Amino acid sequence: MENVRPLAHNRCMTPDHDHLLPSARPVVLIDSGGRPVESAGYALPPDDHLVKAYEALVVGRRVNDQAYALVRQGRLAVYPSSHGQEACQVAAAHVLQDGDWLFPTYRDTVAAVARGVDPVEALVLLKGDWHSGYDPHAHHVAPQATPLATQLPHAVGVAHAARLRGEPTVVMALCGDGATSEGDFHEALNFAAVFRTPVVFFVQNNEYAISVPLARQSVAPSLAHKGIGYGVPGERVDGNDVAALLAVLGGAVARARAGEGPQLVEAHTYRMHAHTNADDATRYRQDEEVQAWVGRDPLTRLDAFLGGRGLLTDQMRESCAGKAERIAAAMRAGLAKDVRPDPSELFAHVYSAPTPQLLEQAALVADELSREEGH
Amino acid sequence: MTRIATTPHGKLSMAQALNRALRDAMAEDESVLVFGEDVGPLGGVFRITDGLTETFGANRCFDTPLAESGIMGMAVGLAMNGMRPVVEMQFDAFAYPAFEQVVSHVAKMRNRTRGRVTLPMVIRIPYAGGIGGVEHHCDSSESYYAHTPGLHVVAPATVADAYTLLREAIASPDPVVFLEPKKLYWSKEEVEIPAGGPGIGRAVVRREGADATLIAYGPSVPVAMAAAEIAAQEGRGLQVVDVRSIVPFDDETVCRAVRSTGRAVVVAEASGFASVSSEIVARVTERCFHSLAAPIRRVAGFDIPYPPPKLEHYHLPGVDRVLDAVDDLQWEDA
Ligand SMILES: Cc1ncc(C[n+]2csc(CCOP(=O)(O)OP(=O)(O)O)c2C)c(N)n1
Ligand SMILES: [Mg+2]
């Protein structure tokens, strides 16, 4: 415990708060036409990082679209797609090191996959066999959270535990624009700031919380501005520009790791599909609005940039597409399997050891099943 | 334009009946305000508030920022100042951020202020399971609310009751937790509006039977009715009592029913331990001990977190489990 850094004095007490405010406009490094853009304080990530991100984007898009198709085929109960938000998903995972943690929501399957979680295991939740289908310790990916913003204080706790042990862990905590209205979002930011925990709060502002537009969540100048009230520096970034995301999130992770405390990043992006397949987005938004975002697609943008620089050949494109296809095939195969979930599991994990009452209830189910088989 | 319309046969779904109740209450009383998450232009994720913003304007039915505690706390203030808020919690398990407001303020305001400040408000909650919902979408949370003095708690099981009880809840001077069984939203009945029937505080006998009494509420009533149907074919008469109003509880009707048969099974989806179903057994046993031919049995949800979709059918009280419990009511002594 000796190497625990002392809690630094509260920076809000210093007269100059400007360093807490986000840039006037979201940081962009590659515009929607694939052209490089100057952005003060941020440099283009190295070529190999961008090429790696390209592959992950192709895979992420394929995972999203395959999952969507699997809902239509009845293999998944529901899928909240991050189609259009893949740059956020990929960057959130790629800026982390092995010992770091990711706290994803229901929308962040692709981020979990980009961090190494098997898509079939990630989709167990939405297939309905169990709740969290993967081992959170295997890749340091917390169970995907559905109750909005509730995972954010957990992220602070995980980061604080690491800090107390002197470990260099950074925690990437994801949430949506709507979730920033929940009390837990604010409590998490404040706790992280007070305890100076190394958490990067990453808000994917996709403009909607189901049907409710951003204007109904907040009239703040931006969601990144919410940091200043807690003494947390905020930054905003073009959420469809993976280069800018890698630069901004990478910088935030580095500052958190260096002991500068929590960071808040807001990405401006768009939910291209309905909230889930069960939602009818035509009830609350116009198709023109959606179409306007097609031209800002994160994949075509990076493709144009890398292609223009000679960093992406057709052969590489094919190889990425091939990898994505193999993953999609594995998803189809994995989800086609109807493993009959074992009802005795219902009673197995509630406590470290089942209570006497649970044992009775498990016996009741076992008895019912044996009688059914007897018939 | 009203998107929810009655079907050609004059049959109404429970969702439509709830929508009608909100409409009629809003038309009659300008102080009725409907708000929550996605209840405006979308009409709610279950479409219960469909068309209300269109009909009554965005001051009467509106979306809030995404924060249940904020929704509930604001409702308290609105009710303190002359309004009748009807708030929607999007799903049972998403009402928990508002629990502090419900327990500390909604339930206690009247008592704290010696009746000077009252909170005529309704908390609508799509609740319980049976719809294949992924985690946090199928909780049966009635026992938390029923255990909190100061709240009325009701759960309709029929389309007519959905209308009648929601109108009563909105008119009530006390806060009402209104539990809407999700799996019954699409069930249809032939009903005339206003639907009539007794109000909050009364249970009803849904089916007569001389041999044993099934006591159920909300989503479990159709299960009890189906069990009674099968039992009848097997020559056993099962009476079915629909509790309707969990708080206040109608001891009189329920006990009269149990005394008439001398045997009873309580059916509820919620985990059985320390629950509404255990309360019902305790009350009826205390009052009807000498009329009972067998201990009252319960068929409740197991004491486990709500299962994933592929396993929920093992957890939910089904017809077979209800009939097994009935078989266990010591008939050999009869
Ligand atoms: C506490 C809580 N309240 C309500 C919900 C229901 N719900 C699920 S997603 C959602 C919208 C969330 O919007 P946002 O945070 O912007 O994330 P997005 O879905 O756009 O990724 C709502 C209201 C929930 N999951 N948890
Ligand atoms: Mg959103």
Side-chain angles (χ1 to χ4, degrees), chain A residues 226-259:
Chain A
K226 288 178 186 273
I228 192 170
Y230 305 104
V232 174
E235 183 59 291
R236 35 188 184 156
V237 53
D238 182 329
N240 289 14
D241 174 2
V242 80
L245 283 156
L246 289 170
V248 169
L249 289 172
V253 166
R255 283 192 301 282
R257 204 183 309 280

Short mmCIF file of all heavy atoms in Angstrom, two decimals, chain A residues 226-259:
data_model
loop_
_atom_site.label_atom_id
_atom_site.label_comp_id
_atom_site.label_asym_id
_atom_site.label_seq_id
_atom_site.Cartn_x
_atom_site.Cartn_y
_atom_site.Cartn_z
N LYS A 226 -20.44 18.81 -18.50
CA LYS A 226 -20.90 18.37 -17.18
C LYS A 226 -19.74 18.06 -16.24
O LYS A 226 -19.91 18.01 -15.03
CB LYS A 226 -21.83 17.16 -17.30
CG LYS A 226 -23.18 17.54 -17.87
CD LYS A 226 -24.10 16.37 -18.04
CE LYS A 226 -25.38 16.78 -18.75
NZ LYS A 226 -26.42 17.27 -17.85
N GLY A 227 -18.56 17.87 -16.80
CA GLY A 227 -17.42 17.55 -15.94
C GLY A 227 -17.03 18.68 -15.00
O GLY A 227 -16.66 18.44 -13.85
N ILE A 228 -17.14 19.91 -15.46
CA ILE A 228 -16.57 21.03 -14.69
C ILE A 228 -17.20 21.14 -13.31
O ILE A 228 -16.53 21.49 -12.34
CB ILE A 228 -16.67 22.36 -15.47
CG1 ILE A 228 -15.80 23.43 -14.77
CG2 ILE A 228 -18.10 22.84 -15.61
CD1 ILE A 228 -15.63 24.71 -15.56
N GLY A 229 -18.46 20.81 -13.20
CA GLY A 229 -19.13 20.88 -11.90
C GLY A 229 -18.53 19.94 -10.87
O GLY A 229 -18.72 20.13 -9.67
N TYR A 230 -17.84 18.94 -11.34
CA TYR A 230 -17.21 17.97 -10.43
C TYR A 230 -15.70 18.11 -10.42
O TYR A 230 -15.01 17.33 -9.76
CB TYR A 230 -17.61 16.54 -10.83
CG TYR A 230 -19.11 16.40 -10.87
CD1 TYR A 230 -19.78 16.36 -12.08
CD2 TYR A 230 -19.84 16.39 -9.68
CE1 TYR A 230 -21.16 16.28 -12.11
CE2 TYR A 230 -21.22 16.32 -9.72
CZ TYR A 230 -21.88 16.28 -10.93
OH TYR A 230 -23.24 16.22 -10.95
N GLY A 231 -15.19 19.08 -11.17
CA GLY A 231 -13.74 19.22 -11.26
C GLY A 231 -13.11 18.17 -12.15
O GLY A 231 -11.94 17.82 -12.00
N VAL A 232 -13.89 17.66 -13.10
CA VAL A 232 -13.40 16.63 -14.03
C VAL A 232 -13.23 17.27 -15.40
O VAL A 232 -14.18 17.85 -15.93
CB VAL A 232 -14.39 15.45 -14.12
CG1 VAL A 232 -13.95 14.45 -15.18
CG2 VAL A 232 -14.55 14.77 -12.77
N PRO A 233 -12.05 17.16 -16.00
CA PRO A 233 -11.89 17.74 -17.33
C PRO A 233 -12.75 17.01 -18.36
O PRO A 233 -12.85 15.79 -18.34
CB PRO A 233 -10.40 17.55 -17.65
CG PRO A 233 -9.86 16.63 -16.63
CD PRO A 233 -10.81 16.58 -15.47
N GLY A 234 -13.39 17.78 -19.25
CA GLY A 234 -14.24 17.21 -20.28
C GLY A 234 -13.65 17.48 -21.65
O GLY A 234 -12.95 18.47 -21.86
N GLU A 235 -13.95 16.58 -22.59
CA GLU A 235 -13.52 16.79 -23.97
C GLU A 235 -14.58 16.22 -24.88
O GLU A 235 -15.29 15.29 -24.51
CB GLU A 235 -12.17 16.11 -24.22
CG GLU A 235 -11.60 16.33 -25.62
CD GLU A 235 -11.36 17.80 -25.98
OE1 GLU A 235 -12.37 18.54 -26.16
OE2 GLU A 235 -10.19 18.22 -26.08
N ARG A 236 -14.75 16.81 -26.06
CA ARG A 236 -15.68 16.20 -27.00
C ARG A 236 -15.01 15.90 -28.32
O ARG A 236 -14.07 16.58 -28.73
CB ARG A 236 -16.93 17.02 -27.21
CG ARG A 236 -16.74 18.47 -27.17
CD ARG A 236 -18.11 19.10 -27.21
NE ARG A 236 -17.97 20.52 -27.26
CZ ARG A 236 -18.90 21.31 -27.75
NH1 ARG A 236 -20.01 20.82 -28.22
NH2 ARG A 236 -18.70 22.61 -27.76
N VAL A 237 -15.54 14.89 -28.95
CA VAL A 237 -14.85 14.34 -30.11
C VAL A 237 -15.89 13.85 -31.11
O VAL A 237 -16.99 13.45 -30.72
CB VAL A 237 -13.89 13.20 -29.65
CG1 VAL A 237 -14.62 12.15 -28.82
CG2 VAL A 237 -13.19 12.54 -30.82
N ASP A 238 -15.50 13.94 -32.38
CA ASP A 238 -16.34 13.38 -33.44
C ASP A 238 -16.39 11.86 -33.26
O ASP A 238 -15.38 11.18 -33.40
CB ASP A 238 -15.72 13.75 -34.80
CG ASP A 238 -16.56 13.26 -35.98
OD1 ASP A 238 -17.23 12.21 -35.84
OD2 ASP A 238 -16.54 13.93 -37.02
N GLY A 239 -17.56 11.36 -32.96
CA GLY A 239 -17.70 9.94 -32.62
C GLY A 239 -17.69 9.02 -33.82
O GLY A 239 -17.78 7.80 -33.66
N ASN A 240 -17.58 9.58 -35.02
CA ASN A 240 -17.49 8.73 -36.21
C ASN A 240 -16.10 8.80 -36.83
O ASN A 240 -15.88 8.30 -37.93
CB ASN A 240 -18.56 9.12 -37.23
CG ASN A 240 -19.95 8.72 -36.75
OD1 ASN A 240 -20.13 8.40 -35.56
ND2 ASN A 240 -20.92 8.74 -37.64
N ASP A 241 -15.19 9.43 -36.10
CA ASP A 241 -13.80 9.55 -36.57
C ASP A 241 -12.92 8.74 -35.62
O ASP A 241 -12.59 9.19 -34.53
CB ASP A 241 -13.40 11.04 -36.55
CG ASP A 241 -11.93 11.25 -36.89
OD1 ASP A 241 -11.22 10.26 -37.17
OD2 ASP A 241 -11.50 12.42 -36.85
N VAL A 242 -12.56 7.55 -36.04
CA VAL A 242 -11.84 6.67 -35.13
C VAL A 242 -10.46 7.24 -34.79
O VAL A 242 -9.95 7.02 -33.69
CB VAL A 242 -11.78 5.22 -35.68
CG1 VAL A 242 -10.69 5.08 -36.72
CG2 VAL A 242 -11.60 4.22 -34.55
N ALA A 243 -9.88 8.02 -35.71
CA ALA A 243 -8.56 8.60 -35.42
C ALA A 243 -8.66 9.59 -34.27
O ALA A 243 -7.86 9.57 -33.33
CB ALA A 243 -8.02 9.30 -36.68
N ALA A 244 -9.67 10.46 -34.34
CA ALA A 244 -9.86 11.44 -33.26
C ALA A 244 -10.20 10.74 -31.95
O ALA A 244 -9.74 11.13 -30.88
CB ALA A 244 -10.97 12.42 -33.65
N LEU A 245 -11.00 9.68 -32.05
CA LEU A 245 -11.37 8.94 -30.84
C LEU A 245 -10.15 8.29 -30.20
O LEU A 245 -9.98 8.35 -28.97
CB LEU A 245 -12.42 7.88 -31.18
CG LEU A 245 -13.83 8.41 -31.39
CD1 LEU A 245 -14.64 7.46 -32.27
CD2 LEU A 245 -14.53 8.62 -30.05
N LEU A 246 -9.30 7.70 -31.03
CA LEU A 246 -8.10 7.08 -30.48
C LEU A 246 -7.22 8.13 -29.82
O LEU A 246 -6.65 7.91 -28.75
CB LEU A 246 -7.31 6.34 -31.58
CG LEU A 246 -7.95 5.05 -32.11
CD1 LEU A 246 -7.22 4.56 -33.37
CD2 LEU A 246 -7.96 3.96 -31.04
N ALA A 247 -7.14 9.32 -30.44
CA ALA A 247 -6.29 10.38 -29.89
C ALA A 247 -6.87 10.92 -28.58
O ALA A 247 -6.17 11.04 -27.57
CB ALA A 247 -6.13 11.51 -30.91
N VAL A 248 -8.17 11.21 -28.59
CA VAL A 248 -8.79 11.83 -27.41
C VAL A 248 -8.90 10.82 -26.27
O VAL A 248 -8.52 11.10 -25.12
CB VAL A 248 -10.17 12.42 -27.78
CG1 VAL A 248 -10.93 12.82 -26.52
CG2 VAL A 248 -9.98 13.63 -28.71
N LEU A 249 -9.42 9.64 -26.57
CA LEU A 249 -9.55 8.63 -25.51
C LEU A 249 -8.18 8.16 -25.04
O LEU A 249 -7.97 7.94 -23.84
CB LEU A 249 -10.38 7.43 -25.99
CG LEU A 249 -11.87 7.68 -26.19
CD1 LEU A 249 -12.53 6.47 -26.86
CD2 LEU A 249 -12.56 7.97 -24.85
N GLY A 250 -7.25 8.04 -25.99
CA GLY A 250 -5.90 7.63 -25.62
C GLY A 250 -5.27 8.65 -24.67
O GLY A 250 -4.64 8.29 -23.67
N GLY A 251 -5.47 9.93 -24.98
CA GLY A 251 -4.95 10.98 -24.10
C GLY A 251 -5.60 10.93 -22.73
O GLY A 251 -4.93 11.07 -21.69
N ALA A 252 -6.91 10.69 -22.71
CA ALA A 252 -7.63 10.64 -21.44
C ALA A 252 -7.14 9.46 -20.60
O ALA A 252 -6.91 9.60 -19.38
CB ALA A 252 -9.14 10.52 -21.70
N VAL A 253 -6.94 8.33 -21.24
CA VAL A 253 -6.44 7.14 -20.53
C VAL A 253 -5.04 7.43 -19.98
O VAL A 253 -4.73 7.11 -18.82
CB VAL A 253 -6.44 5.91 -21.45
CG1 VAL A 253 -5.61 4.77 -20.86
CG2 VAL A 253 -7.87 5.44 -21.72
N ALA A 254 -4.22 8.07 -20.78
CA ALA A 254 -2.85 8.36 -20.34
C ALA A 254 -2.86 9.30 -19.13
O ALA A 254 -2.12 9.10 -18.17
CB ALA A 254 -2.05 8.97 -21.49
N ARG A 255 -3.71 10.32 -19.17
CA ARG A 255 -3.77 11.26 -18.03
C ARG A 255 -4.30 10.56 -16.79
O ARG A 255 -3.81 10.76 -15.69
CB ARG A 255 -4.63 12.47 -18.39
CG ARG A 255 -3.91 13.48 -19.28
CD ARG A 255 -4.68 14.80 -19.37
NE ARG A 255 -6.01 14.61 -19.90
CZ ARG A 255 -6.30 14.44 -21.20
NH1 ARG A 255 -5.32 14.46 -22.10
NH2 ARG A 255 -7.54 14.28 -21.60
N ALA A 256 -5.31 9.73 -16.98
CA ALA A 256 -5.85 9.00 -15.83
C ALA A 256 -4.77 8.09 -15.24
O ALA A 256 -4.58 8.03 -14.02
CB ALA A 256 -7.07 8.18 -16.25
N ARG A 257 -4.02 7.45 -16.12
CA ARG A 257 -2.98 6.53 -15.65
C ARG A 257 -1.86 7.30 -14.96
O ARG A 257 -1.24 6.80 -14.02
CB ARG A 257 -2.43 5.70 -16.82
CG ARG A 257 -1.81 4.38 -16.35
CD ARG A 257 -1.20 3.55 -17.48
NE ARG A 257 -2.02 3.30 -18.63
CZ ARG A 257 -2.98 2.37 -18.71
NH1 ARG A 257 -3.26 1.61 -17.66
NH2 ARG A 257 -3.68 2.21 -19.82
N ALA A 258 -1.63 8.52 -15.41
CA ALA A 258 -0.55 9.32 -14.83
C ALA A 258 -0.95 9.94 -13.50
O ALA A 258 -0.19 10.70 -12.91
CB ALA A 258 -0.13 10.40 -15.82
N GLY A 259 -2.17 9.66 -13.05
CA GLY A 259 -2.58 10.16 -11.73
C GLY A 259 -3.33 11.47 -11.78
O GLY A 259 -3.53 12.12 -10.75
#
